[in-house]
Amino acid sequence: MRAGAGPAAAVSPLDRLLAAARIVLPPEILKAGQPASDLTPSGAPLEAAFVWADSEPGCDPRISLDPAPGAQPESRLEAALSLCRAVSGTEPAPDVLRLAKRLSCWQQRAGCRYGAWAGLRQGEAGGLAAKLYLEVATVSDAKGRPLWAAFEERLAGAPPVLAGRNLRPTMAGLTPDGGLLELYYRTAPLFPGDLDTLMRRFGLAPRGQEVRRLVERLTGRSVRFEIPSSDIGFSVAFRMAGEGRSRRAHACAFTFYSNAAALLGPDARIADALLAEGAARGWDMTAYRQAFAACDTWHSEGEVPLQRHGLIGMVLALEAPPRVTATLALPGYQREPGHG
């Protein structure tokens, strides 16, 4: 299982991550003939995220995966938790298990699309590090207030803003030790200034203009009003400290996301924009270039290829340079054209 375009391709950081991940990956996700996954538009159960920064050499890849393609959300959650245990060698922290149970109950009450994913990246000590992703279902109390509202406001530490933008959390990402929690949101179209309003709510410095400039470079057009994408969102990462009722969250990063196709169009246009940005900023695009080239082998001549890119984003972290990220479905299983 390699992202490279062929046996002669140089081994990239993504190849090394995939080689290490293969040991812990559920074997069924690598088998042909498995049900299509909801993780990617193409139905692939594996997706790579590439992360680049101007002041850092190389590329910092990570992978997201559907641990049980075609399974019920409860089974996906158990499979994702099992993978986290296999990677860390320990049981997830009690706070993580409690939140997983809480969100799973919401999913069962309101229905959900997938329930849980898992993520892998290289750890600081050279091994693997895992992340658990939990779908936040929309379920309301007797007064019609979403159950996630109190949870979200407690994390933010401030009342909601931009009431007319239809902000709603859709997923939570947690490290198994409970030290980091990332909340992902969907939203109606935003103006660059709205990003500053959101960042201030979470106690972060307003940096919306950095997002605007990236979008302008990628699209080749001036952004004077709304960000030109019909499908956008953001996430806020929190450092967690303390136990029980004394547990506190401190925002440490804000990430703007757009569906790549909604922002830039077909895969080829997305790749051209990312490669041009990488060349201008001196990024190492080797792993991304190899993975994207491998996509050309996924369909027969004359067949319309399925969308491979997922998201494009910009990570704005405390005391760190901005990072740009893009996700790409990895070679392997794909949804049959015209289905799903």
Side-chain angles (χ1 to χ4, degrees):
M1 180 178 62
R2 290 188 59 194
V11 176
S12 72
L14 177 59
D15 289 322
R16 290 192 289 272
L17 174 59
L18 288 169
R22 190 181 187 108
I23 300 171
V24 296
L25 287 179
E28 55 268 20
I29 75 171
L30 303 177
K31 294 179 180 178
Q34 292 298 307
S37 172
D38 294 327
L39 178 67
T40 63
S42 68
L46 288 170
E47 181 180 60
F50 305 88
V51 184
W52 302 279
D54 292 347
S55 61
E56 299 175 2
C59 166
D60 179 20
R62 61 282 313 267
I63 57 175
S64 298
L65 61 109
D66 180 348
Q72 292 298 310
E74 297 89 342
S75 299
R76 276 202 179 106
L77 174 57
E78 286 305 316
L81 286 170
S82 294
L83 187 142
C84 289
R85 295 184 186 101
V87 170
S88 63
T90 61
E91 188 73 7
D95 285 326
V96 172
L97 294 176
R98 280 194 291 269
L99 184 56
K101 183 177 180 179
R102 183 181 183 185
L103 296 188
S104 180
C105 288
W106 293 358
Q107 293 169 10
Q108 293 172 36
R109 287 179 59 182
C112 62
R113 187 167 66 88
Y114 58 89
W117 308 130
L120 294 171
R121 63 177 297 178
Q122 291 288 348
E124 294 181 359
L128 289 174
K131 193 171 182 179
L132 175 67
Y133 295 98
L134 302 167
E135 184 175 1
V136 178
T138 302
V139 58
S140 301
D141 61 19
K143 296 181 179 180
R145 178 177 167 85
L147 292 184
W148 52 254
F151 162 71
E152 189 271 348
E153 191 167 337
R154 188 162 55 251
L155 272 178
V161 296
L162 301 175
R165 298 290 191 265
N166 193 26
L167 274 67
R168 65 276 188 202
T170 58
M171 185 171 71
L174 305 96
T175 53
D177 64 2
L180 184 73
L181 188 157
E182 190 167 4
L183 197 58
Y184 299 79
Y185 297 76
R186 292 285 299 275
T187 175
L190 295 174
F191 292 82
D194 291 338
L195 298 176
D196 292 338
T197 300
L198 290 167
M199 292 181 211
R200 290 190 185 97
R201 183 200 177 201
F202 296 103
L204 297 168
R207 300 171 65 180
Q209 288 302 317
E210 294 179 54
V211 175
R212 178 184 63 80
R213 288 193 289 269
L214 174 67
V215 170
E216 289 182 334
R217 289 193 302 271
L218 291 175
T219 61
R221 56 189 286 192
S222 175
V223 178
R224 297 180 57 195
F225 303 108
E226 288 183 350
I227 296 170
S229 172
S230 60
D231 189 353
I232 62 176
F234 64 93
S235 73
V236 182
F238 300 89
R239 292 289 178 191
M240 307 299 293
E243 296 293 336
R245 293 186 178 274
S246 64
R247 193 163 176 78
R248 293 293 181 267
H250 302 279
C252 58
F254 180 98
T255 303
F256 165 80
Y257 290 106
S258 172
N259 178 286
L263 183 68
L264 293 169
D267 278 319
R269 188 175 301 170
I270 298 167
D272 286 346
L274 286 171
L275 291 171
E277 182 75 2
R281 298 172 68 169
W283 296 338
D284 182 353
M285 305 295 288
T286 304
Y288 169 79
R289 193 187 300 272
Q290 289 178 1
F292 183 67
C295 294
D296 289 340
T297 67
W298 289 11
H299 58 91
S300 304
E301 185 176 353
E303 180 181 273
V304 177
L306 297 164
Q307 187 75 28
R308 303 300 173 186
H309 288 89
L311 301 174
I312 286 179
M314 189 173 202
V315 186
L316 301 168
L318 292 174
E319 301 177 357
R323 291 170 168 81
V324 175
T325 182
T327 67
L328 187 69
L330 290 176
Y333 178 85
Q334 67 176 56
R335 193 188 308 272
E336 290 296 326
H339 292 80

